[in-house]
Amino acid sequence: MNTSYDKTVHPQWKESLATVMSTNSAHELAAFISREREEFMVFPPDDQVFAALSFASPRDISVVILGQDPYHEHGQAHGLSFSVQPNIAIPPSLRNIFIEREYDIGLKPPTHGTLTPWAQQGVLLLNTSLTVREGSAGSHAKKGWEEITDHIIRTVDDNTERCVFILWGAHAQAKKKLITQRHHAILEAPHPSPLSAYRGFFGSAPFSRTNALLQEAGRAPIDWSL
């Protein structure tokens, strides 16, 4: 796919993705992104595109938080859904996630928006498209990323231990059909965007509910502090 893929992706993810990454669709996607980077700013940087797959093997994933696009303003995206680089202003949706976290489990909002500590515990912070053109939301949708990210979701679905899939908003909830194993759990709520957070995202208690579902199945809870 690109020079960063072999350097950053966990070896077991590379094994799982070998077939889908060698398809004509994947090669066409790589060529498209290369052309985009020649003409435009594309986020995240090349070496962070697959960051979500660098922290844990498929078997060690216990939670999936599914986003849509990387952030499309300069300096924000670093390969983890909803997360931003250190020293970058916290975007509105992430601010609402932190507000709900405080309502739910009493943790005060942090001064930064970097969610790497969650990823290090087996929280897969996955976007359905892993790149985006600067200032143009959805610009890399339907270019081939979905084939790859759908495969990632199916791989987690194949996990023999319970995983909790957190699906915020209609775009994420459209992927529910990929989750077929009954031992997994799915939490659905409106998107944390300011446009929809008051329609049911606030009060949905995703953090405490996720940990209860993990512990019910004998898996370690997530430390949601940052």
Side-chain angles (χ1 to χ4, degrees), residues 32-169:
F32 165 76
I33 294 170
S34 180
R35 293 192 301 270
E36 285 279 288
R37 288 196 187 277
E38 290 175 0
E39 190 171 353
F40 307 101
M41 287 294 296
V42 171
F43 302 126
D46 180 78
D47 63 350
Q48 296 172 352
V49 170
F50 292 95
L53 303 182
S54 67
F55 294 95
S57 73
R59 292 296 181 195
D60 291 329
I61 299 298
S62 58
V63 180
V64 178
I65 299 179
L66 193 60
Q68 185 168 353
D69 276 336
Y71 293 118
H72 54 77
E73 300 302 331
H74 187 78
Q76 293 179 311
H78 66 119
L80 305 179
S81 64
F82 294 101
S83 182
V84 291
Q85 298 269 31
N87 302 315
I88 295 294
I90 298 172
S93 291
L94 183 55
R95 192 177 304 120
N96 284 340
I97 290 170
F98 290 153
I99 290 171
E100 175 59 20
R101 187 185 68 152
E102 183 174 12
Y103 288 161
D104 185 11
I105 56 176
L107 292 174
K108 296 292 185 182
T111 57
H112 65 88
T114 307
L115 306 182
T116 302
W118 297 357
Q120 291 169 334
Q121 297 175 73
V123 179
L124 180 60
L125 296 164
L126 181 69
N127 285 310
T128 57
S129 294
L130 300 188
T131 55
V132 69
R133 184 191 300 174
E134 182 178 20
S136 184
S139 52
H140 289 188
K142 300 182 180 178
K143 301 296 185 182
W145 275 126
E146 291 80 3
E147 181 178 343
I148 295 169
T149 55
D150 283 2
H151 184 88
I152 292 169
I153 295 168
R154 290 191 182 99
T155 300
V156 179
D157 183 53
D158 287 339
N159 199 329
T160 56
E161 292 193 85
R162 170 173 287 175
C163 294
V164 180
F165 292 82
I166 299 175
L167 307 180
W168 290 326

Side-chain angles (χ1 to χ4, degrees), residues 157 162 179-185:
D157 183 53
R162 170 173 287 175
I179 307 161
T180 62
Q181 302 298 323
R182 294 185 177 181
H183 58 277
H184 298 316

Side-chain angles (χ1 to χ4, degrees), residues 9-28:
V9 174
H10 190 284
Q12 290 179 25
W13 272 115
K14 279 193 278 191
E15 181 180 349
S16 170
L17 292 168
T19 299
V20 73
M21 293 297 284
S22 64
T23 62
N24 288 336
S25 174
H27 292 313
E28 291 170 2

